Amino acid sequence: MEDYFDLHMEEDQIRSISSIGLAHLGDAVYELLVRSWLCAHGRATGKGLHRAAVELVRAPAQAARAERILPMLTGEELAVFKRGRNAHVHTVPHSASRSDYLKATALECLLGYLYLHGRRERINALFAAMMKEEEHAT
């Protein structure tokens, strides 16, 4: 049986996934990280928890966090990020600029890529850097 919580794919399999596919997976990874972070930090309960999660996962918030980690990215990671940023998205939510939406897509693409490679430690390091300012606000 496949363990989808600890999925490792070959490089050629991952390369064959579209940047939108990687972003789709990365969106779920980011959402899980944010929800876990909120619960671990006792940030909110009930409706407040949902609102806090929505605030952190909206495209402008993701774009700002992507900017924070860009200097930390390896060459390989930067290439994946740029691949995601150059994805052909057809719709952009009204709450986001096209630029922010593309940066958010790039971040999600990177997280999906790292997840499929089983690089949890790297995902955690990048997420910690993204959340550093919020950490000090608690």
Side-chain angles (χ1 to χ4, degrees), residues 12-89:
D12 60 331
Q13 291 175 295
I14 296 170
R15 204 173 309 119
S16 71
I17 299 171
S18 72
S19 50
I20 296 297
L22 290 174
H24 178 73
L25 179 59
D27 176 59
V29 171
Y30 186 72
E31 177 90 22
L32 182 59
L33 290 167
V34 164
R35 288 177 180 224
S36 298
W37 186 88
L38 287 169
C39 289
H41 288 84
R43 279 302 181 92
T45 58
K47 277 187 187 176
L49 188 58
H50 175 72
R51 285 189 196 116
V54 168
E55 187 61 31
L56 290 168
V57 300
R58 355 181 334 264
Q62 284 188 33
R65 282 169 182 76
E67 289 290 337
R68 287 182 198 166
I69 64 164
L70 276 176
M72 297 174 59
L73 299 183
T74 66
E76 173 193 11
E77 292 166 346
L78 189 57
V80 173
F81 184 90
K82 287 178 180 180
R83 177 181 165 199
R85 191 185 59 206
N86 294 332
H88 297 290
V89 295

